[in-house]
Amino acid sequence: MELVCPAGNIDKLTYAYAYGADTAYIGLKRFSLRIKADNFYEDEYKRVIELKKKYPQKRLFCALNIAFHNHDIKMFMQNLDYFKQYPIDAFIVQDLGMVPILQKEFPGTHLHLSTQASCMNKEAVKMYHSLGFKRVVLGREVSLDEIREIKDACPEMELECFAHGAMCIAYSGRCLMSAYLTGRSAQSGFCSHSCRWEYDVTSCHDEFLTSKNSRSTGSSPHPCGSQLEELNRNGGKISAEAAKEIAQSGILRLQERQRPGEFFPVFEGEDFTAILSSKDLCMIDHLADMKKAGVDAIKVEGRMKSTYYVAMVSRAYRKALDALEGKISAEEAAPFIASLEDVAHRESTTGFYYNRGDADKTTIGASDSPYLLAAAIGNPYSDEECEKILAAGQKLVADREAELLAMHPSAREAVLRDLEQHPEKVIKTVEKREGWKVYPYDALNRVDAGTELEFVSPSVLGRKVLGSEYEFINPKTGEKLDWVNADHDCAIYTAVPVEENTLVRVKDPDYREGEIRDRGR
């Protein structure tokens, strides 16, 4: 099976490819359901072209999966020349109005049907095949048994299914809740993730009390009056039958905690309906069943997720697929699969694949991880460049000594006293060490020198690097750094082996296993 992974920007695309994705899917500004992802624009197509040259066997899909309005189509047509510069292998669309446009303007590019189209039966798949679609991303509500029926009925159509990532309480992701609550339509790419917010469930007690008091005037009593009285008498405890009557009465309502006074009605039908916050999908232990069902490609959700998420999840599924195909042993794959626990995630489920009840189970809290992504490490500087960096540091020290010598004795004494009182002002440089190399260090979070680091890469599960095994250095001045942060000029000097596309992570000091942290929205 093909592994299709998300790429919200050029860096994530790089790591998706490097960490095992066969294919990555991107969005273009304004035409993707993940508008808030960085997406691709301006001259980034040049970097994408270079990446495709580096990974010639990898493919690139482009999500054009919004519901197009007339003005959207007009804007798309105005940007055709720009889009044609990307080496796109397939477009993922839900809007049939785009089909003839794409077939005319991109005759060599495949068409894939988005999951937003909710295609879940063999007759629909046959119809889309007749329209020229190469692949269907099936609606997430389809079961493995149904996938097998679809594949048997239309074997020439490629079937792609989600295997991992966040889900929402909506039909195949077609959600109106965000638009209802915030005016930001998920179908235009502006989802506010309203289903993840915190809600209180209340009942219309005022209405109940009013109806109770009005009995003396001859008005009809509240239809759930006896149930609400039971609820109040028993301190919130109530029989299952009474709870069902209340749930189906329409008197329950939701209040979002940051929107006091705004109420939204809740009605539960005959069958149990989960409300709002779904679990994350995870099928990594069931890939053999997906393959047996006829799935051609598995998909990871997450164009808005972090670089760390993209890399770690891509790697885990790559190893799992390699084990399934006999390229590596199950024992070799196991620790990489287990490392999914190190990535921000919520409780997991198998969704609709086996049992609808699995998809109906909800959860609470934000996704969390015990690690923070600290940095990305680039390819090593050449020996000549390393010598220049070290020499720059030596020159910096020599210049400072010469400057002190040129000072009046009293001034020099004052400066030396200040340096003694403030040792952080003393220029420090690294010593040349045999076997050590200098690597570009793209800092993403603050890390103090001496902190224990952990290197992860496509083939290295996690290599601990002690504080004594590296030094931070400014590659422009050669000065040793006590700490690094984003946007600082920084390199790392170490003898620890560094594989290409290595990421650096550190333990999150605020992480507490089993606790749910409020990370905002």
Side-chain angles (χ1 to χ4, degrees), residues 401-471:
E401 290 178 350
E403 182 181 341
L404 286 170
L405 287 173
M407 289 181 179
H408 186 278
S410 59
R412 180 167 59 249
E413 184 178 344
V415 170
L416 291 173
R417 273 200 311 270
D418 182 63
L419 292 175
E420 186 176 352
Q421 294 172 1
H422 302 281
E424 70 276 6
K425 295 181 180 181
V426 177
I427 294 177
K428 297 182 282 282
T429 59
V430 299
E431 300 281 335
K432 183 176 181 179
R433 303 195 190 193
E434 192 65 33
W436 286 48
K437 295 183 178 181
V438 182
Y439 300 83
Y441 184 94
D442 182 13
L444 302 171
N445 281 298
R446 172 169 175 149
V447 174
D448 293 327
T451 301
E452 182 177 287
L453 308 179
E454 194 165 329
F455 291 177
V456 294
S457 67
S459 63
V460 177
L461 183 65
R463 178 183 286 115
K464 285 183 170 52
V465 182
L466 302 178
S468 60
E469 295 181 296
Y470 73 90
E471 293 179 307

Side-chain angles (χ1 to χ4, degrees), residues 12 60 80 84 104 135 199 222 246 253 287 303 349 370 404:
K12 294 173 189 177
L60 181 71
L80 270 176
K84 288 181 178 181
K104 177 184 176 182
R135 175 179 295 186
Y199 294 85
H222 194 285
I246 290 177
R253 57 192 184 182
L287 298 182
R303 275 185 292 136
T349 176
L404 286 170

Side-chain angles (χ1 to χ4, degrees), residues 28 56 135 147 178 227 296-297 354 369 403 412 416 447:
L28 298 177
R135 175 179 295 186
I147 294 172
S178 177
Q227 290 85 354
D296 297 289
Y354 294 102
S369 168
E403 182 181 341
R412 180 167 59 249
L416 291 173
V447 174

Side-chain angles (χ1 to χ4, degrees), residues 42-164:
E42 296 179 352
D43 64 350
E44 288 189 330
Y45 65 88
K46 296 177 182 178
R47 295 179 63 187
V48 176
I49 291 172
E50 291 304 310
L51 267 180
K52 286 289 293 285
K53 289 179 180 177
K54 182 176 181 179
Y55 299 101
Q57 75 280 17
K58 309 279 187 178
R59 296 203 292 170
L60 181 71
F61 296 165
C62 177
L64 293 177
N65 53 354
I66 66 167
F68 280 77
H69 290 268
N70 290 330
H71 63 84
D72 295 318
I73 294 179
K74 181 179 179 180
M75 184 176 295
F76 179 81
M77 297 301 294
Q78 292 173 344
N79 287 274
L80 270 176
D81 290 341
Y82 172 70
F83 296 151
K84 288 181 178 181
Q85 296 180 95
Y86 281 85
I88 295 168
D89 296 292
F91 287 109
I92 306 169
V93 297
Q94 67 157 313
D95 195 321
L96 290 182
M98 292 299 294
V99 172
I101 294 174
L102 294 172
Q103 288 174 329
K104 177 184 176 182
E105 300 294 342
F106 300 86
T109 305
H110 291 165
L111 288 182
H112 292 180
L113 185 72
S114 170
T115 190
Q116 301 291 125
S118 302
C119 180
M120 293 181 294
N121 65 73
K122 57 190 178 182
E123 299 304 324
V125 170
K126 291 177 184 177
M127 186 274 291
Y128 284 114
H129 183 263
S130 71
L131 292 177
F133 281 86
K134 176 75 171 177
R135 175 179 295 186
V136 167
V137 185
L138 291 171
R140 67 174 188 174
E141 294 81 10
V142 71
S143 69
L144 290 177
D145 289 339
E146 290 172 315
I147 294 172
R148 183 69 267 170
E149 290 182 33
I150 292 170
K151 191 65 177 180
D152 289 343
C154 192
E156 59 273 22
M157 178 68 90
E158 295 178 1
L159 301 180
E160 180 175 307
C161 298
F162 279 96
H164 194 90

Side-chain angles (χ1 to χ4, degrees), residues 192-384:
S192 60
H193 301 285
S194 309
C195 60
R196 304 289 199 220
W197 297 356
E198 295 181 357
Y199 294 85
D200 294 317
V201 181
T202 63
S203 63
C204 306
H205 285 93
D206 291 342
E207 295 177 14
F208 164 62
L209 293 172
T210 300
S211 64
K212 183 179 179 182
N213 293 333
S214 67
R215 293 174 193 174
S216 59
T217 65
S219 302
S220 299
H222 194 285
C224 286
S226 61
Q227 290 85 354
L228 290 173
E229 286 179 338
E230 178 186 343
L231 188 68
N232 291 332
R233 279 197 313 270
N234 299 330
K237 296 180 180 179
I238 193 171
S239 66
E241 186 59 32
K244 182 177 180 180
E245 290 186 32
I246 290 177
Q248 294 181 350
S249 70
I251 68 169
L252 297 181
R253 57 192 184 182
L254 294 180
Q255 178 179 246
E256 206 278 314
R257 292 189 177 184
Q258 294 190 24
R259 290 170 170 76
E262 292 186 32
F263 297 102
F264 304 95
V266 176
F267 179 82
E268 184 169 311
E270 188 64 30
D271 295 326
F272 174 76
T273 301
I275 293 180
L276 304 182
S277 189
S278 62
K279 295 183 177 182
D280 284 356
L281 179 65
C282 182
M283 288 291 288
I284 199 163
D285 294 327
H286 307 281
L287 298 182
D289 288 347
M290 297 186 77
K291 184 175 182 179
K292 184 178 178 181
V295 175
D296 297 289
I298 59 169
K299 190 168 194 171
V300 174
E301 177 275 338
R303 275 185 292 136
M304 291 178 63
K305 297 291 180 66
S306 68
T307 298
Y308 180 69
Y309 175 93
V310 171
M312 295 297 98
V313 175
S314 298
R315 185 181 71 173
Y317 276 85
R318 175 75 276 145
K319 299 296 184 181
L321 286 173
D322 286 349
L324 181 63
E325 295 165 5
K327 296 178 180 178
I328 62 175
S329 69
E331 291 73 22
E332 289 175 291
F336 292 96
I337 293 172
S339 71
L340 278 179
E341 292 298 314
D342 296 334
V343 180
H345 66 286
R346 312 167 93 216
E347 287 184 281
S348 63
T349 176
T350 54
F352 293 85
Y353 286 121
Y354 294 102
N355 186 324
R356 177 191 170 134
D358 293 334
D360 281 344
K361 295 174 183 176
T362 59
T363 188
I364 60 173
S367 57
D368 213 347
S369 168
Y371 290 99
L372 292 173
L373 180 60
I377 297 182
N379 294 325
Y381 288 103
S382 67
D383 291 342
E384 182 181 351

